[in-house]
Amino acid sequence: MLHAIKISKNYDDVARNDLHVLDDINFSLEHGETSAIIGSSGSGKTTLLNILGGLDKPSSGQVMLNGVDVHKLSEKQRSAVRNSNLGFIYQFHHLLQEFTALENVAMPLLINGRSVDEARQRAEKVLDDVGLAQRTHHKPGELSGGERQRAAIARALVHQPECILADEPTGNLDRKNAEQAIDLIIELNQKYDTSLVIVTHDLKIAERMDTVYTLEDGVLKKTYSVPLINANELE
């Protein structure tokens, strides 16, 4: 469903020397599969996730989404593919403060051209699924941290994407809310029949995924269990 083929990413640093962030990376995700990407801070995990999601361009290589190379599309076409096929969850919720939870969650559908009534009904349904049925008309400032992240999860799922890309989705939460959030993501991933790629420092989260990848020195390696990594190295 989502395949990265020989992805490399280089930047020019201030000394005009190439900075190699990603080196000849291959990654594969099938429909319904869940994968974790772990690695030390600054290893390029977020860069890789953004390339997979069409938010950043690789220096070389291909990202195939259902057989289409997303980085050969125009920006308008790439945005349409993202809005239709992918959902994004970040460490910080990025909800729009002036809008209610319902309005924030309905927005991806409105952007995709759905009617106001359809967007509202769909947003109400997914907010109920994340346990916010009684908080739909509250703005982000009136929600707790855990509730804001639940609203962000609902927003990522409202258009029923084929794949969720999550970048440290529990990194801004305390342990209790973090556990509840990941339980919810996994539960709804199965309910909505989506795939999931999660970048995380939390080895307990990683070990709950179908596959685990470690990114180190620009190289991505696939393992079948969580590697024996000192958790301090991932901070």
Side-chain angles (χ1 to χ4, degrees):
M1 192 277 293
L2 180 63
H3 303 282
I5 305 168
K6 295 185 177 300
I7 292 293
S8 293
K9 182 68 175 181
N10 306 320
Y11 295 99
D12 287 335
D13 66 14
V14 292
R16 295 192 174 276
N17 295 316
D18 279 343
L19 178 63
H20 300 285
V21 179
L22 304 175
D23 187 15
D24 206 28
I25 282 176
N26 294 300
F27 175 85
S28 182
L29 184 77
E30 302 302 330
H31 180 77
E33 185 180 6
T34 63
S35 290
I37 299 174
I38 62 175
S40 61
S41 180
S43 62
K45 301 185 302 299
T46 294
T47 298
L48 176 57
L49 199 71
N50 287 339
I51 289 173
L52 293 176
L55 297 171
D56 193 4
K57 287 188 175 182
S59 299
S60 62
Q62 297 175 296
V63 174
M64 309 297 293
L65 179 61
N66 293 326
V68 176
D69 186 348
V70 298
H71 293 292
K72 287 188 176 180
L73 302 175
S74 68
E75 181 56 40
K76 183 176 181 180
Q77 291 171 325
R78 195 159 52 248
S79 294
V81 167
R82 284 197 303 266
N83 292 337
S84 298
N85 298 284
L86 301 174
F88 297 87
I89 306 172
Y90 301 98
Q91 178 175 352
F92 300 99
H93 53 79
H94 296 304
L95 299 173
L96 298 176
Q97 297 296 319
E98 64 271 30
F99 295 106
T100 65
L102 180 64
E103 291 166 337
N104 269 284
V105 173
M107 202 161 294
L109 296 177
L110 297 173
I111 291 172
N112 282 344
R114 306 291 181 88
S115 70
V116 173
D117 284 345
E118 181 183 358
R120 177 182 54 79
Q121 291 174 11
R122 183 65 188 166
E124 288 176 341
K125 171 64 170 60
V126 72
L127 280 166
D128 184 38
D129 285 343
V130 300
L132 293 180
Q134 305 303 316
R135 309 287 277 170
T136 58
H137 298 295
H138 290 71
K139 294 182 178 180
E142 300 170 312
L143 302 175
S144 69
E147 288 172 336
R148 288 193 291 268
Q149 195 64 324
R150 283 172 176 262
I153 293 168
R155 181 184 56 192
L157 286 164
V158 70
H159 57 297
Q160 294 184 291
E162 291 189 66
C163 182
I164 296 292
L165 302 177
D167 189 1
E168 296 287 359
T170 64
N172 199 40
L173 301 174
D174 59 40
R175 172 53 62 181
K176 179 180 178 181
N177 279 309
E179 290 177 352
Q180 291 175 347
I182 195 61
D183 286 345
L184 185 62
I185 290 171
I186 292 173
E187 175 188 340
L188 294 179
N189 178 72
Q190 296 172 347
K191 180 174 181 177
Y192 283 78
D193 194 27
T194 65
S195 304
L196 171 65
V197 182
I198 184 167
V199 163
T200 182
H201 284 136
D202 193 328
L203 298 182
K204 290 184 178 179
I205 292 175
E207 68 185 4
R208 297 179 66 179
M209 301 298 111
D210 296 327
T211 55
V212 179
Y213 291 82
T214 301
L215 184 58
E216 184 177 5
D217 296 329
V219 177
L220 190 71
K221 297 180 180 180
K222 182 177 181 180
T223 62
Y224 292 91
S225 61
V226 176
L228 295 176
I229 294 177
N230 186 331
N232 292 328
E233 296 178 0
L234 301 181
E235 297 300 333

Short mmCIF file of all heavy atoms in Angstrom, two decimals, residues 29 40 68 72 77 103 117 135 138 151 207 226 230:
data_model
loop_
_atom_site.label_atom_id
_atom_site.label_comp_id
_atom_site.label_asym_id
_atom_site.label_seq_id
_atom_site.Cartn_x
_atom_site.Cartn_y
_atom_site.Cartn_z
N LEU A 29 4.79 -0.95 3.76
CA LEU A 29 3.65 -1.06 4.67
C LEU A 29 2.46 -1.57 3.88
O LEU A 29 2.06 -0.99 2.87
CB LEU A 29 3.32 0.32 5.26
CG LEU A 29 2.21 0.35 6.31
CD1 LEU A 29 2.73 -0.16 7.65
CD2 LEU A 29 1.67 1.77 6.47
N SER A 40 17.41 7.48 17.78
CA SER A 40 17.82 8.57 18.66
C SER A 40 17.29 9.90 18.13
O SER A 40 16.94 10.04 16.96
CB SER A 40 19.34 8.61 18.78
OG SER A 40 19.92 8.83 17.51
N VAL A 68 1.23 4.80 -7.06
CA VAL A 68 1.48 6.13 -7.61
C VAL A 68 2.67 6.75 -6.88
O VAL A 68 2.71 6.77 -5.64
CB VAL A 68 0.24 7.04 -7.46
CG1 VAL A 68 0.55 8.45 -7.93
CG2 VAL A 68 -0.94 6.46 -8.24
N LYS A 72 6.13 12.59 -7.84
CA LYS A 72 6.08 12.98 -9.24
C LYS A 72 4.80 13.75 -9.55
O LYS A 72 4.61 14.20 -10.69
CB LYS A 72 6.20 11.76 -10.15
CG LYS A 72 7.61 11.18 -10.20
CD LYS A 72 7.73 10.09 -11.24
CE LYS A 72 9.18 9.59 -11.34
NZ LYS A 72 9.32 8.51 -12.35
N GLN A 77 -1.91 18.06 -6.84
CA GLN A 77 -2.26 16.64 -6.87
C GLN A 77 -1.80 15.94 -5.60
O GLN A 77 -2.52 15.10 -5.05
CB GLN A 77 -1.63 15.97 -8.09
CG GLN A 77 -2.22 16.40 -9.42
CD GLN A 77 -1.41 15.89 -10.60
OE1 GLN A 77 -0.17 15.79 -10.54
NE2 GLN A 77 -2.09 15.53 -11.69
N GLU A 103 -15.80 21.56 14.76
CA GLU A 103 -15.36 22.28 13.57
C GLU A 103 -13.95 21.86 13.16
O GLU A 103 -13.66 21.72 11.96
CB GLU A 103 -15.42 23.79 13.83
CG GLU A 103 -16.85 24.31 13.96
CD GLU A 103 -16.92 25.71 14.56
OE1 GLU A 103 -15.95 26.11 15.26
OE2 GLU A 103 -17.93 26.39 14.33
N ASP A 117 -23.44 19.44 6.12
CA ASP A 117 -24.21 18.45 6.89
C ASP A 117 -23.47 17.13 6.99
O ASP A 117 -23.41 16.51 8.06
CB ASP A 117 -25.59 18.23 6.23
CG ASP A 117 -26.55 19.36 6.51
OD1 ASP A 117 -26.28 20.17 7.43
OD2 ASP A 117 -27.58 19.45 5.81
N ARG A 135 -18.19 16.89 24.31
CA ARG A 135 -17.27 18.03 24.25
C ARG A 135 -17.17 18.62 22.85
O ARG A 135 -16.27 19.40 22.56
CB ARG A 135 -15.88 17.58 24.70
CG ARG A 135 -15.82 16.84 26.02
CD ARG A 135 -16.05 17.78 27.19
NE ARG A 135 -14.81 18.46 27.57
CZ ARG A 135 -14.75 19.47 28.44
NH1 ARG A 135 -15.88 19.95 28.95
NH2 ARG A 135 -13.60 20.01 28.75
N HIS A 138 -16.86 22.47 22.50
CA HIS A 138 -15.81 23.13 23.28
C HIS A 138 -14.62 23.45 22.38
O HIS A 138 -14.25 22.66 21.52
CB HIS A 138 -15.36 22.24 24.43
CG HIS A 138 -16.38 22.09 25.51
ND1 HIS A 138 -17.53 21.36 25.35
CD2 HIS A 138 -16.42 22.58 26.78
CE1 HIS A 138 -18.24 21.38 26.46
NE2 HIS A 138 -17.59 22.14 27.34
N ALA A 151 -9.16 14.74 20.13
CA ALA A 151 -9.75 15.48 19.02
C ALA A 151 -8.83 15.43 17.79
O ALA A 151 -9.31 15.31 16.65
CB ALA A 151 -10.01 16.93 19.42
N GLU A 207 6.64 -1.88 20.73
CA GLU A 207 6.49 -3.34 20.80
C GLU A 207 5.05 -3.79 20.54
O GLU A 207 4.81 -4.98 20.34
CB GLU A 207 6.96 -3.87 22.15
CG GLU A 207 6.12 -3.46 23.32
CD GLU A 207 6.70 -3.90 24.65
OE1 GLU A 207 7.81 -4.47 24.65
OE2 GLU A 207 6.03 -3.68 25.67
N VAL A 226 11.26 -5.33 19.51
CA VAL A 226 11.89 -4.09 19.92
C VAL A 226 13.35 -4.35 20.26
O VAL A 226 13.66 -5.22 21.08
CB VAL A 226 11.17 -3.49 21.13
CG1 VAL A 226 11.90 -2.25 21.63
CG2 VAL A 226 9.74 -3.13 20.76
N ASN A 230 18.87 1.42 25.04
CA ASN A 230 18.73 2.23 26.25
C ASN A 230 17.74 3.34 25.97
O ASN A 230 17.92 4.12 25.05
CB ASN A 230 20.10 2.82 26.63
CG ASN A 230 20.06 3.54 27.96
OD1 ASN A 230 19.03 4.08 28.37
ND2 ASN A 230 21.20 3.56 28.64
#
